[in-house]
Amino acid sequence: MGHYDVIVMGGGPGGYIAGERLAHAGVKVLVAEKESLGGTCLNVGCIPTKSLLNGAKLYDHALHSKQFGVTVEGASFDWDAMQAWKTKTVDTLVGGVGAMLKRLGCEVVKGHATLVAPGRVAVDGTEHTADHVIIATGSEPVIPPIPGARDNDRVVDSTGMLAVTEVPQRLAVIGGGVIGIEFASLFAALGSEVTVVEMMPEICPFMDADVAAALRKGLKGVTVHLESTVQSIDGSTVVFTKGGSEQRLEADLVLMAVGRRPLVSGWGAEEAGLDVSPRGVRVDDTMRTNLPNVWAVGDVTGRSLLAHAAYRMGEIASAHIIDTVAARKDGQVMRWNTVPWAVYSLPEAAGVGLTEREASAAFGEVVTAQVPLQLSGRFVAENGLRAPGTVKVVADAATRTVRGIHMLGTYAPETIWGAATALETELTIDDLRQVVFPHPTVSEGIREAVWAVRG
């Protein structure tokens, strides 16, 4: 038993970044993690999928590089070697997080943390006390109540998909969100016959409709069934309805990728009196909960299930705790509308802010422009004229303030931070026109889109 300034329940992105920021400021902090530091993102999410996707992209480039003057004879991939690279990458980064926390003086304990009461946390039965508690318990995959989905070794979630021992010849993906589309791209690039079944009118419904449609059309080797509802799964055969008729999809493996949900049970939330629902722990824009000196960050809040959003939430909670210790106030708040998203599919996509539909609902009249990335010299040099690529900018007509920027194509996730900065600082179309973009870069597509706005 010990007393700390702060106890962090969970060592994922939100939890470990909070531990780092607090320890860096000299705060005595304990991070409790029941499995491995890095949480879902580092161990069975963002990082392992990107490791495998990188191999798939290299293989795809090798097969289709003739137009660039490079011919690769006998290109092949080794799934076991790709898995080994994934494991090495994950182990390296997990070790790096642990080393960073240790260097800063943050204590880490492995065990299941339970919130007993404000200021009291039990880790595997050993109770500790703290002036503040940060809850960062994360999320878990959703398995809908579809007959045949549970207790079926031919149906896997994202964690199971990362561990398959061989590439399936036929893969059925239930869900056309980020997880489903990324895995669809990965295995299609490696030769799988991939079919996505999505119940909504379009994949990735959080995206601007124009960009989402362009992404779907740009997916190579992937068949997508929209407005389709899965009725049952018989072994690895998916039965779904589309347009009033029943269809059967024969596959060798079924990936259940309908999303994730906040992990709000099993760690004492209700017993401690926390304001919680299946949608997550309720927090304000400073990450405070209804309990005194109890904070929540990351997926468990249900506000934004993205690792970089968790980072920022962890930083905001930490900043307010540090301000309390130092008797100061800098007023940091979470601005949910400037959190960018990214899809690392083939092709990639990214965006930040409001879609055209959302901006119209919020501001009435809007101005928009959409341009092909073929206006970027680097994009053409590296991808050609037929590769999917577009940039769309959305602004409200009254003030011309930029409300959303959406991109499809190579380097979109690496570029979108600049767009997020434009929204964060509330730049107008005219402000953004004065920014100098390096040439030749794909980021110049943003400049072209901004100048394409009328007026």
Side-chain angles (χ1 to χ4, degrees):
M1 181 173 182
H3 181 79
Y4 300 85
D5 294 322
V6 184
I7 295 176
V8 182
M9 296 172 53
Y16 80 69
I17 204 72
E20 286 186 17
R21 299 294 182 263
L22 291 163
H24 188 269
V27 175
K28 185 180 180 183
V29 57
L30 172 70
V31 174
E33 169 55 51
K34 65 180 180 180
E35 295 178 357
S36 297
L37 288 171
T40 295
C41 172
L42 208 160
N43 292 278
V44 290
C46 317
I47 301 304
T49 56
K50 303 313 165 285
S51 300
L52 295 174
L53 273 164
N54 183 60
K57 289 176 182 178
L58 289 172
Y59 178 60
D60 182 72
H61 290 166
L63 294 178
H64 303 98
S65 60
K66 188 175 181 179
Q67 65 174 320
F68 306 113
V70 178
T71 301
V72 179
E73 299 290 346
S76 63
F77 69 88
D78 184 330
W79 180 248
D80 290 339
M82 291 174 66
Q83 287 279 23
W85 173 253
K86 176 202 75 175
T87 301
K88 180 180 179 180
T89 301
V90 170
D91 290 347
T92 298
L93 294 175
V94 169
V97 171
M100 173 65 78
L101 292 173
K102 182 178 180 180
R103 182 178 67 80
L104 292 172
C106 177
E107 186 176 342
V108 178
V109 61
K110 187 170 185 178
H112 179 72
T114 301
L115 181 65
V116 179
R120 295 169 56 197
V121 175
V123 182
D124 285 347
T126 300
E127 188 169 308
H128 304 275
T129 58
D131 297 330
H132 298 266
V133 176
I134 298 177
I135 299 163
T137 54
S139 61
E140 61 185 352
V142 172
I143 304 296
I146 298 172
R150 295 183 180 274
D151 301 319
N152 184 340
D153 60 6
R154 309 307 292 273
V155 178
V156 297
D157 59 16
S158 56
T159 300
M161 198 73 225
L162 285 167
V164 295
T165 57
E166 61 183 7
V167 175
Q169 289 187 345
R170 300 172 300 175
L171 174 65
V173 179
I174 311 303
V178 174
I179 296 172
I181 294 303
E182 288 192 3
F183 275 112
S185 287
L186 166 63
F187 286 98
L190 298 180
S192 294
E193 182 183 318
V194 180
T195 304
V196 175
V197 181
E198 168 58 47
M199 68 180 298
M200 300 295 287
E202 188 54 87
I203 63 170
C204 299
F206 57 89
M207 294 174 62
D208 185 272
D210 292 333
V211 178
L215 170 59
R216 172 173 50 82
K217 294 172 184 176
L219 294 172
K220 294 187 292 186
V222 178
T223 300
V224 180
H225 291 284
L226 299 174
E227 297 183 287
S228 301
T229 304
V230 177
Q231 301 298 323
S232 64
I233 302 174
D234 181 9
S236 58
T237 299
V238 178
V239 181
F240 65 96
T241 55
K242 179 180 182 180
S245 64
E246 184 177 283
Q247 300 188 35
R248 299 177 67 86
L249 171 61
E250 305 290 340
D252 300 303
L253 191 66
V254 179
L255 168 61
M256 192 62 66
V258 296
R260 300 181 65 87
R261 62 187 172 199
L263 186 55
V264 296
S265 61
W267 48 266
E270 293 186 4
E271 294 83 350
L274 202 62
D275 186 358
V276 62
S277 74
R279 294 194 296 178
V281 175
R282 186 169 285 107
V283 295
D284 64 15
D285 290 346
T286 65
M287 314 320 299
R288 287 181 172 88
T289 71
N290 65 302
L291 297 180
N293 293 340
V294 177
W295 315 70
V297 302
D299 287 5
V300 72
T301 68
R303 298 295 298 273
S304 178
L305 276 66
L306 298 168
H308 48 277
Y311 283 145
R312 186 60 185 142
M313 291 185 230
E315 289 176 336
I316 289 171
S318 300
H320 283 278
I321 292 172
I322 293 167
D323 287 351
T324 300
V325 174
R328 67 187 187 196
K329 190 171 185 179
D330 67 9
Q332 291 192 37
V333 296
M334 187 72 187
R335 284 181 278 272
W336 307 99
N337 64 321
T338 61
V339 176
W341 55 263
V343 183
Y344 299 86
S345 49
L346 284 74
E348 296 178 336
V352 62
L354 302 179
T355 65
E356 181 177 353
R357 181 178 299 173
E358 291 168 338
S360 295
F363 298 100
E365 186 179 356
V366 299
V367 289
T368 70
Q370 184 169 344
V371 300
L373 269 183
Q374 279 73 11
L375 294 178
S376 158
R378 186 180 184 190
F379 184 84
V380 175
E382 296 188 2
N383 299 276
L385 291 173
R386 296 183 179 180
T390 188
V391 180
K392 183 174 182 177
V393 61
V394 180
D396 71 82
T399 68
R400 293 175 65 81
T401 302
V402 178
R403 302 299 180 181
I405 297 178
H406 311 275
M407 301 182 68
L408 171 70
T410 307
Y411 306 127
E414 297 293 340
T415 302
I416 205 63
W417 74 270
T421 302
L423 267 69
E424 188 75 28
T425 53
E426 299 183 338
L427 297 185
T428 66
I429 292 293
D430 305 292
D431 292 331
L432 202 47
R433 284 176 175 176
Q434 299 178 56
V435 173
V436 179
F437 289 80
H439 176 79
T441 62
V442 175
S443 68
E444 290 177 284
I446 295 177
R447 181 194 63 201
E448 298 293 345
V450 168
W451 275 101
V453 175
R454 303 292 292 273

